[in-house]
Amino acid sequence: LPAWLYPSALTDFRTWYTTSFKDPLMLDPPAWFLSFVYCEALLQLPFFPVAAYAFFKGGCKWIRVPTIMYSTHVTTAVLAIIVHILFADFSKSTLSPLTYNERLTLVSIYAPYLLIPLLLLNTMLYNRQYVTEVKRKKK
């Protein structure tokens, strides 16, 4: 998107964030990371109001499958991001986490985006409110 579409406060925040936390994915996002961003915009954002409705209303068992799909997608994406942060060679990057402590700090920023979908997945798989028992016919 053109730069003039972004408010200056948003670009200033991005500059502060990338400088403070040395996040190379936000500074110069690779193509694979942009694919996650596009999936988030096209798939995850529409899911949020639907899920909010289902969770606030309560008792909506139909939200189980979409939530499992959402949580597994996000978990997979964030795991790839965390592995990249921990093990990628950033020696040629201008602004990147070089020390192990800087990498762990950056991982701690991405960690909630892994933990919350895992909690949702656990809830959808094991909570009795969402798990329906399959009734089998007796022969």
Side-chain angles (χ1 to χ4, degrees):
L1 295 172
W4 59 269
L5 283 176
Y6 300 104
S8 62
L10 190 59
T11 55
D12 292 345
F13 177 76
R14 179 179 175 238
T15 302
W16 169 82
Y17 170 76
T18 55
T19 305
S20 299
F21 296 102
K22 300 179 180 178
D23 190 344
L25 298 174
M26 291 294 181
L27 183 64
D28 185 24
W32 64 267
F33 182 76
L34 288 176
S35 72
F36 291 157
V37 172
Y38 295 139
C39 283
E40 184 172 353
L42 297 174
L43 301 173
Q44 294 176 28
L45 287 178
F47 170 75
F48 294 150
V50 173
Y53 167 79
F55 292 137
F56 283 123
K57 183 178 179 195
C60 299
K61 292 182 187 261
W62 54 265
I63 197 63
R64 182 175 190 256
V65 171
T67 303
I68 290 170
M69 293 169 58
Y70 162 80
S71 59
T72 54
H73 169 71
V74 174
T75 299
T76 304
V78 176
L79 276 175
I81 291 168
I82 289 174
V83 167
H84 179 74
I85 290 169
L86 289 175
F87 301 111
D89 180 18
F90 295 119
S91 61
K92 296 177 184 171
S93 300
T94 56
L95 187 64
S96 57
L98 298 177
T99 68
Y100 191 64
N101 194 27
E102 290 172 341
R103 289 175 189 247
L104 288 179
T105 300
L106 193 52
V107 165
S108 71
I109 291 170
Y110 284 97
Y113 300 99
L114 175 65
L115 296 177
I116 291 170
L118 285 175
L119 289 172
L120 279 171
L121 182 62
N122 185 56
T123 300
M124 294 300 124
L125 292 177
Y126 300 111
N127 189 312
R128 289 184 185 197
Q129 181 177 354
Y130 296 103
V131 176
T132 57
E133 291 184 26
V134 177
K135 294 182 182 178
R136 298 178 187 239
K137 292 182 182 179
K138 293 183 181 180
K139 291 186 179 183

